[in-house]
Amino acid sequence: MSSLATKDHDFQKSLLPNSNNFFTELLSTLPKQNRVGTSRDLYKYQGFWYSSIILTGVIQAQKQFQALPTDIIIAGGPKTGNTWLKALCFAIATRKRYQDDHDHQIENHPFLSNLPHSLVPFLEVDFLKDTPTITNTREHTLLSKHMPYTSLPESIPSCGCYYKASLDKPDMFLFLKYEELKADTVFYVRKMAEFMCEPFSNEEEHEDMPEKIVRMFSFQSLSGLEVNKTGKFRPIGHVELDNCAYFRQGNTGDWKYHLTPEMAERIDTIKEEKLRGSGFWFGLDI
């Protein structure tokens, strides 16, 4: 998760000149591979594979997005806890607007009728929409992205590695591990609030506000909401997703029930090879 400094926002959604021809021509020049189990193709762009609709959004964001110093951008790969992290960030940033004095959600809280992804939109998907859905809080704009750092818009500072950047510039980059967030959520909610320049006041601490946020927006509480059990998320291409698809068990160490020892050993070998020399360590026996 990072706060990134640059110029003013430019949320013009007009497509690039002759955009259809531009993207058609671009796709024809890229390495292509069929997505297993579907009739759709993936295209290799700047070292990573994308579907055509996501690639269109990535390029659109690269060409037109301008970041602000107060932007909060939640950066993470798919299935790494983004849904829950978005909920916590939104709850922290808007806590004075949407929560009452009791230990429960008020009737008009956005989470009662919206998936967290709807409240904290994806840069490479929602930026294409005619009407921006960017979530403006009192002090910040909350955004998210799955795209790798090699494909970030130029207005977002290139850091090469988010982990190393978080060590060199802790005021701009906050690096979180899902396992640690799950193990001590209250501690990291306080840490996120400080990073977002929204630290909890003495009065809020006295009222156990960090603990209340953790309880109200826990993975279990969110997955139990009607909107997340029966609602549907916006179509991506021609695929409409059920909201419940974003709420699995979220347990650490669950891989033991899905991977063989040989598969786990292979992943560990790849992990050690890729992380060698980075100084990064997961720090947990999961």
Side-chain angles (χ1 to χ4, degrees):
M1 184 174 68
S2 56
S3 172
L4 303 161
T6 46
K7 305 174 183 178
D8 293 333
H9 275 304
D10 178 9
F11 285 123
Q12 295 179 354
K13 296 298 184 294
S14 58
L15 292 175
L16 301 171
N18 301 316
S19 59
N20 289 336
N21 293 335
F22 171 81
F23 288 116
T24 300
E25 182 177 346
L26 173 65
L27 292 179
S28 69
T29 66
L30 298 176
K32 182 172 67 172
Q33 181 174 308
N34 180 255
R35 185 173 183 176
V36 178
T38 73
S39 60
R40 299 184 178 187
D41 291 323
L42 297 177
Y43 298 87
K44 191 174 185 180
Y45 177 72
Q46 296 181 337
F48 292 86
W49 294 91
Y50 299 93
S51 66
S52 59
I53 185 66
I54 298 298
L55 179 55
T56 301
V58 168
I59 295 174
Q60 190 80 352
Q62 287 179 336
K63 297 292 184 181
Q64 295 187 334
F65 179 76
Q66 296 294 325
L68 278 175
T70 53
D71 287 349
I72 301 294
I73 300 180
I74 301 172
K79 302 303 179 183
T80 58
N82 292 276
T83 307
W84 183 35
L85 185 57
K86 285 183 178 186
L88 292 175
C89 288
F90 186 91
I92 291 168
T94 63
R95 62 185 184 270
K96 295 180 181 178
R97 188 189 310 176
Y98 292 120
Q99 291 178 325
D100 62 11
D101 296 329
H102 305 288
D103 194 9
H104 60 271
Q105 297 162 320
I106 57 179
E107 293 183 358
N108 65 343
H109 198 288
F111 279 126
L112 297 179
S113 56
N114 292 278
L115 184 72
H117 293 304
S118 299
L119 299 173
V120 185
F122 285 103
L123 181 59
E124 62 267 47
V125 177
D126 299 288
F127 192 78
L128 282 173
K129 292 184 177 181
D130 293 332
T131 303
T133 59
I134 307 306
T135 303
N136 293 300
T137 65
R138 182 165 54 88
E139 298 291 341
H140 307 290
T141 296
L142 295 179
L143 292 164
S144 67
K145 67 99 185 169
H146 281 331
M147 71 174 81
Y149 72 86
T150 55
S151 298
L152 289 175
E154 292 182 0
S155 65
I156 299 178
S158 176
C159 58
C161 171
Y162 284 114
Y163 172 66
K164 291 182 178 179
S166 69
L167 300 179
D168 297 335
K169 300 177 181 179
D171 59 322
M172 292 183 65
F173 299 92
L174 176 62
F175 192 92
L176 299 173
K177 302 175 186 177
Y178 177 82
E179 292 79 10
E180 293 179 349
L181 178 62
K182 186 80 181 293
D184 194 351
T185 311
V186 173
F187 171 82
Y188 284 101
V189 162
R190 289 193 177 102
K191 194 175 183 70
M192 285 188 284
E194 292 174 0
F195 176 79
M196 296 166 67
C197 300
E198 294 278 359
F200 293 99
S201 65
N202 291 334
E203 181 180 358
E204 287 178 316
E205 288 287 357
H206 179 72
E207 295 175 349
D208 295 328
M209 182 58 72
E211 290 82 359
K212 289 180 180 180
I213 287 178
V214 171
R215 285 194 295 270
M216 287 188 286
F217 301 99
S218 69
F219 194 84
Q220 291 74 20
S221 295
L222 290 170
S223 60
L225 294 176
E226 190 64 26
V227 65
N228 295 327
K229 291 192 293 184
T230 61
K232 292 183 179 292
F233 193 34
R234 52 127 158 82
I236 300 178
H238 298 290
V239 179
E240 187 175 57
L241 300 176
D242 293 331
N243 287 353
C244 63
Y246 294 94
F247 295 91
R248 297 181 296 174
Q249 294 185 8
N251 295 326
T252 58
D254 201 47
W255 61 268
K256 298 174 183 176
Y257 304 103
H258 302 277
L259 303 180
T260 65
E262 293 76 17
M263 295 168 68
E265 183 178 357
R266 183 183 178 190
I267 291 175
D268 284 341
T269 300
I270 295 173
K271 177 186 66 177
E272 291 172 5
E273 177 185 341
K274 297 295 185 181
L275 296 178
R276 186 176 295 120
S278 68
F280 176 76
W281 180 53
F282 280 104
L284 290 171
D285 182 15
I286 57 174

